[in-house]
Amino acid sequence: AQKITQTQPGMFVQEKEAVTLDCTYDTSDPSYGLFWYKQPSSGEMIFLIYQGSYDQQNATEGRYSLNFQKARKSANLVISASQLGDSAMYFCAMSDTGGFKTIFGAGTRLFVKA
Amino acid sequence: GAVVSQHPSRVICKSGTSVKIECRSLDFQATTMFWYRQFPKQSLMLMATSNEGSKATYEQGVEKDKFLINHASLTLSTLTVTSAHPEDSSFYICSADLAGTPYEQYFGPGTRLTVT
């Protein structure tokens, strides 16, 4: 069975500093996709970044990068130069083969301090 | 980018009544739509997978007679909460799968249901 684990219920970071949000996963599928979503207090899910299981390079999208360590089954999100607007819940997620049935981790609430 | 809308964004209903939530893909066709439920301060839990023109596939523990899903077209899926009870109060989010782009889902803004 697939499983996503986020062990950090809450994280604090100083504005303009970098922060790493942890995510580990478990699956027996050789082909899968890993995602990070941001959920502000408004509730909408905002797609941040995607990493395919066969991608050789770590995904990057602007200030977001995904530290993909396949052997360790980890997919940590790195946010560089944190901004106050980055304060939100962050969910790590995984889709199975074919891209169906995404499962989500418990989430990490990030607080950016001025 | 692909846009998914949900209507209504908030709804309050009385216990015992039914509520319909719409999920629309505005600028693309979605062969598959997903319905999630999120309790306060918790993660998203997949309720069901909805394919256009066929019956929805429900996750274990989700009552299909209580949560009716209809995917009548490639741009519209509806979730009807029948005979709602206070414990059905939750945040319901839909997402749509953009055909031809595996692994990508586009989420609607969510619907907050409160049953009194």
Side-chain angles (χ1 to χ4, degrees):
Chain A
Q2 295 184 320
K3 186 178 181 181
I4 289 276
T5 302
Q6 293 179 256
T7 58
Q8 306 155 313
M11 289 281 289
F12 286 89
V13 64
Q14 196 69 37
E15 191 179 12
K16 299 181 184 178
E17 293 186 349
V19 63
T20 298
L21 306 184
D22 294 341
C23 174
T24 58
Y25 62 93
D26 191 19
T27 180
S28 56
D29 281 335
S31 179
Y32 51 89
L34 296 160
F35 303 81
W36 278 92
Y37 291 91
K38 173 184 178 181
Q39 188 180 41
S41 56
S42 59
E44 62 184 306
M45 295 290 285
I46 301 170
F47 166 77
L48 296 178
I49 197 166
Y50 161 77
Q51 179 86 41
S53 59
Y54 293 117
D55 292 344
Q56 296 295 316
Q57 292 188 328
N58 288 342
T60 60
E61 290 285 349
R63 295 188 297 114
Y64 304 106
S65 61
L66 197 152
N67 185 359
F68 181 46
Q69 297 188 41
K70 195 170 183 177
R72 297 179 59 185
K73 293 188 175 181
S74 72
N76 299 339
L77 176 70
V78 180
I79 305 175
S80 63
S82 296
Q83 302 172 357
L84 295 177
D86 293 335
S87 294
M89 279 291 287
Y90 289 81
F91 291 98
C92 180
M94 176 169 61
S95 285
D96 63 359
T97 303
F100 298 105
K101 292 193 67 172
T102 300
I103 61 169
F104 288 81
T108 296
R109 180 164 292 283
L110 178 66
F111 299 91
V112 180
K113 299 183 291 184
Chain B
V3 178
V4 175
S5 70
Q6 274 184 248
H7 177 79
S9 58
R10 290 178 179 270
V11 58
I12 301 173
C13 71
K14 293 188 176 181
S15 186
T17 62
S18 296
V19 175
K20 179 186 285 188
I21 302 170
E22 292 186 349
C23 176
R24 293 182 185 272
S25 56
L26 297 184
D27 51 0
F28 66 99
Q29 293 185 331
T31 54
T32 305
M33 289 184 172
F34 305 88
W35 287 96
Y36 296 86
R37 183 174 183 176
Q38 186 180 29
F39 290 108
K41 299 184 180 180
Q42 294 189 23
S43 188
L44 279 71
M45 298 299 296
L46 180 65
M47 298 175 66
T49 302
S50 165
N51 291 294
E52 186 266 338
S54 63
K55 290 184 179 180
T57 303
Y58 290 82
E59 294 300 300
Q60 191 173 9
V62 178
E63 299 175 61
K64 59 182 178 182
D65 293 332
K66 180 168 187 59
F67 299 100
L68 301 179
I69 292 173
N70 186 310
H71 194 155
S73 76
L74 287 172
T75 59
L76 174 64
S77 177
T78 60
L79 168 67
T80 301
V81 183
T82 62
S83 187
H85 289 98
E87 56 265 32
D88 298 325
S89 298
S90 188
F91 193 57
Y92 292 88
I93 306 175
C94 73
S95 71
D97 176 33
L98 180 59
T101 58
Y103 303 125
E104 282 195 57
Q105 291 185 39
Y106 295 88
F107 285 84
T111 296
R112 189 162 304 282
L113 170 63
T114 303
V115 184
T116 61

